[in-house]
Amino acid sequence: MRNLREINSFAEGLEMTKVHNFSAGPAILPKEVIDQCISALQNFSGTNLSLIEVSHRGAEFVAIMDEARQIVKDIMQLGDDYEVLYLQGGASTQFLMLAMNLLKTKAAYTNTGTWASKAIKEARAFGEVDVIASSEDKNFSYIPKGFSIADDYDYFHCTSNNTISGTQMKDFPTCGVPMVCDMSSDIFSRELDFTQFDLIYAGAQKNMGPAGTTLVVIKKDILGKVDRQIPTMLNYQTHISKGSMFNTPPVFAVYASLMNLRWIQSKGGLSAMEQRNTEKAQLLYSEIDSNPLFKGTTAVEDRSFMNVTFLLEDENLNDSFLKTASNAGISGIKGHRSVGGFRASMYNAMGLESVQALVELMKNFKR
Ligand SMILES: *Cc1c(COP(=O)(O)O)cnc(C)c1O
């Protein structure tokens, strides 16, 4: 038996090895979720078989898929006019799939970053694409506003949170055509009126689950309007008609996503997530603004509450700051090469204490 002193020093040792995971994606998940996955990998739902070695047509997994689809509608407060799919191929496949299913003649896009640019490029294979607003002129450091969307577009596409540049749409335009949104990096992070969107998609690995599945939420009445032949696997109707089980679904990623969505609900849903995320973001941005060594990279009103991008005034100190961070157990804050400096991604599962650790480090960082 360990005595109290040994237990305490053991606990301190654990404390010292805690890693604060600021990775942009694949990203942090709640410890409870990881534990549930470990347990399901060993014994899934009382089967004495692993989650990843049972039939996806068995009652146990079918129940998981059904709940995983329903819980998204519950959290987003959507009705039966919407369908929820767990697909594969990442958000990157959605760039082409949504255009293939929705683009008849022309679509309107905003270009707010690297991912938006890729979505535009893919859509151009299927029709005319008008970039009706862009922030490319200033390295995507702001969200363009004040544009209007003509009624003759097949749809309007936007990116709610720009993972690389660190900007986020706080408001969405009123739109007389179907509104499609790439929410990969801020899905389930805040309260929104989700009924304003007709198609929402998100690679799970940022704020929803592990890599391997892509969430697609779709209002059914926008489908069936294009004349082209759509390959079976790339047709949303295929997956809708089979309850997201047309072919073998990514069982592990769906399971882990469901555990995380249950976690979100148990914590109080999107209003609780928004409160938590706002608190973390305010703490870090206020340090960036008050510490003379650092500066933000984006327009203040468009700052992302998920991916915080910032620079050192003296970029020669970058390596030294990264090294100090790594010694303090702070992981994943190196900025994307297109922005430089640092990026702290603070998805739902990150606790305030991790942001406090980063802020402490910034305060103490001296030349
Ligand atoms: C990461 C990301 C993507 C790409 O997702 P994949 O699942 O890797 O294809 C697309 N859009 C946004 C906003 C992202 O953050």
Side-chain angles (χ1 to χ4, degrees):
M1 278 303 274
R2 289 196 180 101
N3 65 31
L4 192 60
R5 201 154 137 210
E6 274 174 327
I7 290 172
N8 279 342
S9 66
F10 179 69
E12 278 162 24
L14 281 182
E15 205 50 51
M16 278 171 61
T17 56
K18 172 163 170 81
V19 175
H20 302 285
N21 182 5
F22 288 90
S23 170
I28 183 171
L29 285 168
K31 185 176 179 302
E32 296 95 300
V33 170
I34 307 273
D35 288 344
Q36 285 166 318
C37 290
I38 292 170
S39 154
L41 282 173
Q42 289 171 331
N43 179 359
F44 169 50
S45 198
T47 57
N48 283 316
L49 295 167
S50 171
L51 164 67
I52 54 172
E53 59 178 14
V54 297
S55 169
H56 59 290
R57 307 277 175 208
E60 293 83 5
F61 188 78
V62 168
I64 294 296
M65 180 58 99
D66 288 347
E67 185 185 344
R69 295 174 72 218
Q70 185 56 46
I71 198 173
V72 169
K73 288 206 248 180
D74 294 346
I75 293 175
M76 291 184 169
Q77 294 182 285
L78 294 172
D80 287 337
D81 44 344
Y82 285 83
E83 287 282 348
V84 176
L85 304 174
Y86 286 83
L87 304 181
Q88 297 182 64
S92 300
T93 296
Q94 291 310 305
F95 296 161
L96 69 98
M97 189 164 166
L98 72 92
M100 193 181 257
N101 282 262
L102 303 178
L103 181 47
K104 245 176 115 114
T105 46
K106 62 175 183 168
Y109 276 67
T110 51
N111 186 9
T112 55
T114 310
W115 296 114
S117 306
K118 291 187 180 185
I120 290 164
K121 173 170 178 275
E122 293 304 303
R124 288 205 157 119
F126 301 98
E128 202 181 311
V129 170
D130 287 348
V131 177
I132 60 169
S134 170
S135 52
E136 200 173 4
D137 59 335
K138 290 186 181 165
N139 198 26
F140 301 120
S141 61
Y142 69 102
I143 298 287
K145 296 172 202 78
F147 54 88
S148 58
I149 305 159
D151 281 339
D152 58 348
Y153 287 112
D154 297 322
Y155 63 90
F156 163 69
H157 180 285
C158 57
T159 310
S160 57
N161 185 72
N162 298 285
T163 326
I164 292 174
S165 46
T167 59
Q168 185 172 32
M169 294 174 77
K170 307 295 172 183
D171 296 301
F172 292 86
T174 42
C175 189
V177 300
M179 179 145 69
V180 177
C181 188
D182 177 358
M183 291 196 190
S184 291
S185 52
D186 68 349
I187 190 136
F188 303 120
S189 69
R190 55 176 166 167
E191 288 188 293
L192 285 176
D193 173 10
F194 291 98
T195 63
Q196 68 191 307
F197 304 100
D198 297 271
L199 195 156
I200 296 165
Y201 64 98
Q205 70 277 11
K206 307 278 170 48
N207 201 28
M208 178 177 162
T213 192
T214 309
L215 179 73
V216 176
V217 179
I218 188 163
K219 196 168 184 199
K220 280 177 277 188
D221 67 6
I222 64 168
L223 294 175
K225 311 236 157 104
V226 297
D227 302 323
R228 72 175 60 85
Q229 184 81 34
I230 304 174
T232 309
M233 270 298 282
L234 295 177
N235 193 333
Y236 290 122
Q237 305 270 27
T238 304
H239 299 283
I240 290 173
S241 70
K242 298 292 182 193
S244 204
M245 295 266 256
F246 170 71
N247 69 320
T248 315
V251 291
F252 179 77
V254 172
Y255 182 85
S257 297
L258 172 59
M259 294 305 116
N260 191 40
L261 293 169
R262 281 188 192 162
W263 177 86
I264 289 172
Q265 272 197 325
S266 75
K267 295 287 170 195
L270 296 187
S271 70
M273 291 301 126
E274 179 167 332
Q275 210 180 334
R276 216 174 131 87
N277 292 328
T278 306
E279 197 183 350
K280 289 182 287 180
Q282 281 170 351
L283 178 64
L284 183 50
Y285 282 119
S286 82
E287 181 61 24
I288 290 169
D289 291 340
S290 62
N291 187 326
L293 296 180
F294 295 94
K295 60 180 176 197
T297 70
T298 64
V300 170
E301 71 274 17
D302 301 326
R303 284 172 161 178
S304 169
F305 281 20
M306 292 277 99
N307 314 96
V308 177
T309 49
F310 58 104
L311 305 173
L312 268 162
E313 289 284 356
D314 179 359
E315 300 215 344
N316 294 320
L317 299 175
N318 279 6
D319 287 345
S320 158
F321 185 68
L322 282 175
K323 195 155 182 279
T324 317
S326 158
N327 290 340
I330 288 172
S331 160
I333 60 161
K334 192 173 174 16
H336 189 273
R337 63 192 178 283
S338 64
V339 180
F342 311 97
R343 169 174 55 172
S345 299
M346 309 189 300
Y347 297 113
N348 285 347
M350 171 165 283
L352 186 65
E353 72 286 355
S354 290
V355 184
Q356 282 164 339
L358 176 57
V359 164
E360 236 8 75
L361 187 83
M362 293 165 75
K363 281 194 203 301
N364 295 332
F365 187 66
K366 298 262 153 46
R367 273 148 216 276

